Amino acid sequence: DQQVKQNSPSLSVQEGRISILNCDYTNSMFDYFLWYKKYPAEGPTFLISISSIKDKNEDGRFTVFLNKSAKHLSLHIVPSQPGDSAVYFCAARLTTSGTYKYIFGTGTRLKVLA
Amino acid sequence: DVKVTQSSRYLVKRTGEKVFLECVQDMDHENMFWYRQDPGLGLRLIYFSYDVKMKEKGDIPEGYSVSREKKERFSLILESASTNQTSMYLCASSFSRRGKETQYFGPGTRLLVL
């Protein structure tokens, strides 16, 4: 049972426009959400995160929105650049008895067209 | 700069061999994780550890074991490699602290089991 879902396997966007990547989750006990970017043959690199008590977090061109009632989060990249082309994973953290576990979505491949 | 290193970038092993994948982090992180990444399945958690000599099963622990004898090192062991363990293996580490949350990943080991 996939607790974190990224329903769009791929997305193409023109350079300079906004990229919106979506993520849905099912477990209301998740307390933190993260976005990672992954280039081929490299490990994922952290982009931005948001606590479950917030609804928005912004860092430069990247903004993450969290809608707890809908169990939905999204990553906005504006303006999109060709170097943003990568696979993006959302992840949710589950805290149990003081230990942390992260559950990842299946990823969305973003292609930014020049 | 946080650094997570993995002992090999590419490995080719035969069915039935015992395989060791090593991961070292230099940031004194309490938590360490092993994932595998497969197309269409995202990152799936195999095992994690929140302290030396402690380990917890993730979502897909079958066929794997781990060892954490020192805080900075977390080893993944394939007791008897099988072809369905061909995958990209990613190690990660993180703090156990409230506030800004992130996980740092190594570059990955691509394992081919023949």
Side-chain angles (χ1 to χ4, degrees), chain B residues 42-65:
Chain B
L43 277 70
R44 293 181 293 165
L45 181 64
I46 304 170
Y47 266 97
F48 64 107
S49 167
Y50 53 88
D51 202 351
V52 177
K53 297 195 187 294
M54 306 301 284
K55 60 185 179 186
E56 293 278 345
K57 289 181 181 179
D59 300 316
I60 51 163
E62 297 78 19
Y64 303 94
S65 62

Side-chain angles (χ1 to χ4, degrees), chain B residues 58-76:
Chain B
D59 300 316
I60 51 163
E62 297 78 19
Y64 303 94
S65 62
V66 290
S67 170
R68 189 142 181 229
E69 295 296 318
K70 293 185 178 181
K71 192 174 187 180
E72 67 271 18
R73 188 180 296 271
F74 192 35
S75 303
L76 179 70

Side-chain angles (χ1 to χ4, degrees), chain B residues 15-26:
Chain B
T15 302
E17 276 193 77
K18 191 166 185 176
V19 182
F20 292 87
L21 302 182
E22 304 283 342
C23 176
V24 177
Q25 50 94 4
D26 65 358

Side-chain angles (χ1 to χ4, degrees), chain A residues 13-105:
Chain A
V13 170
Q14 283 295 131
E15 182 179 6
R17 306 295 289 267
I18 185 170
S19 296
I20 301 176
L21 296 102
N22 294 304
C23 183
D24 297 295
Y25 62 95
T26 57
N27 192 337
S28 57
M29 299 302 294
F30 291 140
D31 61 357
Y32 230 97
F33 301 90
L34 306 91
W35 283 95
Y36 289 86
K37 174 178 172 179
K38 186 179 184 301
Y39 292 119
E42 291 183 17
T45 52
F46 169 75
L47 264 180
I48 192 168
S49 63
I50 188 167
S51 165
S52 60
I53 62 172
K54 303 215 167 165
D55 55 20
K56 179 181 173 182
N57 188 25
E58 195 170 348
D59 185 1
R61 296 186 298 116
F62 303 92
T63 304
V64 56
F65 294 92
L66 176 62
N67 182 334
K68 280 188 75 174
S69 59
K71 294 192 176 70
H72 177 84
L73 69 155
S74 60
L75 174 68
H76 293 211
I77 306 173
V78 56
S80 302
Q81 299 172 354
D84 296 329
S85 298
V87 177
Y88 289 78
F89 291 98
C90 69
R93 189 182 79 176
L94 191 64
T95 303
T96 312
S97 304
T99 68
Y100 298 83
K101 177 179 163 179
Y102 298 86
I103 298 172
F104 282 77

Side-chain angles (χ1 to χ4, degrees), chain B residues 1-31:
Chain B
D1 246 9
V2 174
K3 198 150 184 182
V4 180
T5 56
Q6 294 183 230
S7 50
S8 306
R9 293 301 302 270
Y10 301 95
L11 269 181
V12 180
K13 296 290 179 182
R14 297 225 170 258
T15 302
E17 276 193 77
K18 191 166 185 176
V19 182
F20 292 87
L21 302 182
E22 304 283 342
C23 176
V24 177
Q25 50 94 4
D26 65 358
M27 279 300 291
D28 203 35
H29 287 173
E30 295 92 345
N31 302 321

